[in-house]
Amino acid sequence: MWIEERETGLAMPAETGLPRNLLLRSLPFEELERLSPVLQKIALAPRRVLQHAGLPIEHVFFIEEGLVSVLAKVDERNAVEVGLIGRDGAVGSIVVLGADVAAFSHFVQIGGSALRISVDDLSRALAELPRLRAALQGYVHLSLMQVSQTAACSLSHSFEQRLASWLLMAHDRCDMTQLPITQDLVARSLGVRRPTVSNAFKQLAERGAFAKERGRVRILDRAGLERIACRCYRVLCRQCDAVKRSKIGRKTLIALTLAFALFEIELAVS
Ligand SMILES: [Zn+2]
């Protein structure tokens, strides 16, 4: 699993009341304490749209449990998934760069909970809390990387490889042993027809990668899935590690990411 607990001054277990969200857990105690009064815990019902593309961003949601799809509209009726957000991230994090309108829609795939903060409260907090600002900027960088890698992936790799990568990413972000996902959900997420998912599920299950149990998928062999997954999964893991280690400025990092993304997409379509 590539999502690790980030460095924090607290190093306390979740049972003590610390948020489960990894961005919030990365903050020093003083910053978390100042932020806590303006964080509101809410339930995330499956199929709820947290943000609509093209509409103003009113709240940022730090995901505590569950899984959110980032959807790009391709025509009036259809949208494809370009990213996944779990307890590693926050919906609406782009406000840290000054954006006030959502570029993508955000749809709850697996229900759970989130800590919600209004954009006004977050703006005030960002001016005063440097570690929060750095954590969100780092996450925006990873999100840009994920969106671009997903685009390159869908043009270049087989469905079985993409499915293995998707399952690993969902598993990392949900931190659940059993994922409450259906073949319909995966078909919508990966932009393919249901029979294509059904065939790939069957093949992966026969290889012992996972077991299907009443609307849930239990991962049995993560190492096996990693061997099947395309390089996109490993690229994103490495990128995550690089962001954690990076000493260069976040703005420079984001500019480099965009340049890299365009290069990858160009390679994929050429
Ligand atoms: Zn790929």
Side-chain angles (χ1 to χ4, degrees), residues 33 40 42 51 71 95 100-101 122 125 133 147 159 191 198 200 204 218 243-244 247 251 253-254 257 259:
E33 194 176 41
Q40 180 191 11
I42 62 159
Q51 276 176 5
L71 299 173
V95 296
D100 53 9
V101 171
L122 183 65
R133 195 165 57 244
V147 167
F159 181 71
S198 185
L204 289 181
R218 186 156 57 92
V243 168
K244 284 193 232 169
K247 297 280 191 286
K251 286 182 181 171
L253 208 53
I254 289 166
T257 301

Side-chain angles (χ1 to χ4, degrees), residues 38 47 59 79 84 89 116 127 174-175 207 216 238-239 259:
V38 287
R47 307 181 71 81
H59 295 95
L84 283 174
R116 185 175 73 174
C174 282
D175 201 14
R207 291 166 76 170
R216 291 174 179 268
R238 281 201 300 271
Q239 198 67 25

Side-chain angles (χ1 to χ4, degrees), residues 13-258:
E15 300 79 64
T16 59
L18 270 180
R20 284 178 52 77
N21 181 273
L22 296 181
L23 296 176
L24 294 176
R25 287 177 71 91
S26 74
L27 303 180
F29 179 76
E30 297 75 27
E31 291 202 10
L32 195 53
E33 194 176 41
R34 289 178 65 182
L35 199 57
S36 293
V38 287
L39 290 171
Q40 180 191 11
K41 184 152 187 172
I42 62 159
L44 297 180
R47 307 181 71 81
R48 175 179 172 186
V49 180
L50 288 180
Q51 276 176 5
H52 290 272
L55 293 184
I57 302 171
E58 295 176 351
H59 295 95
V60 171
F61 301 83
F62 292 92
I63 306 301
E64 291 271 276
E65 290 178 275
L67 190 67
V68 174
S69 273
V70 184
L71 299 173
K73 205 169 177 180
V74 288
D75 57 37
E76 286 310 307
R77 298 183 56 180
N78 299 299
V80 294
E81 185 180 277
V82 292
L84 283 174
I85 303 176
R87 73 183 190 102
D88 61 314
V91 172
S93 56
I94 197 74
V95 296
V96 75
L97 299 185
D100 53 9
V101 171
F104 302 113
S105 293
H106 291 76
F107 179 85
V108 179
Q109 292 282 22
I110 297 176
S113 62
L115 292 170
R116 185 175 73 174
I117 182 171
S118 73
V119 167
D120 288 344
D121 283 336
L122 183 65
S123 299
R124 281 189 284 275
L126 288 172
E128 297 171 9
L129 308 178
R131 289 283 292 274
L132 172 65
R133 195 165 57 244
L136 280 173
Q137 286 173 339
Y139 181 68
V140 168
H141 167 224
L142 287 173
S143 302
L144 289 170
M145 188 71 206
Q146 191 185 155
V147 167
S148 56
Q149 194 71 38
T150 301
C153 183
S154 63
L155 291 165
S156 309
H157 297 141
S158 73
F159 181 71
E160 192 182 42
Q161 289 178 306
R162 290 174 59 207
L163 176 60
S165 293
W166 190 92
L167 286 168
L168 288 166
M169 287 196 285
H171 192 222
D172 288 347
R173 282 156 183 76
C174 282
D175 201 14
M176 293 175 177
T177 321
Q178 296 183 45
L179 298 170
I181 56 175
T182 62
Q183 293 184 17
D184 280 336
L185 181 154
V186 174
R188 280 200 305 274
S189 294
L190 295 176
V192 296
R193 298 179 60 209
R194 167 76 188 272
T196 308
V197 177
S198 185
N199 284 339
F201 259 56
K202 193 171 168 215
Q203 283 171 19
L204 289 181
E206 282 173 1
R207 291 166 76 170
F210 60 75
K212 285 190 290 177
E213 296 169 353
R214 293 194 214 108
R216 291 174 179 268
V217 164
R218 186 156 57 92
I219 306 289
L220 298 174
D221 181 9
R222 262 196 70 95
L225 271 181
E226 286 175 16
R227 283 193 295 276
I228 297 166
C230 54
R231 67 182 286 274
C232 301
Y233 178 70
R234 292 184 293 280
V235 166
L236 290 172
C237 292
R238 281 201 300 271
Q239 198 67 25
C240 180
D241 292 340
V243 168
K244 284 193 232 169
R245 287 195 305 268
S246 177
K247 297 280 191 286
I248 63 174
R250 296 291 178 193
K251 286 182 181 171
T252 310
L253 208 53
I254 289 166
L256 286 172
T257 301
L258 285 171

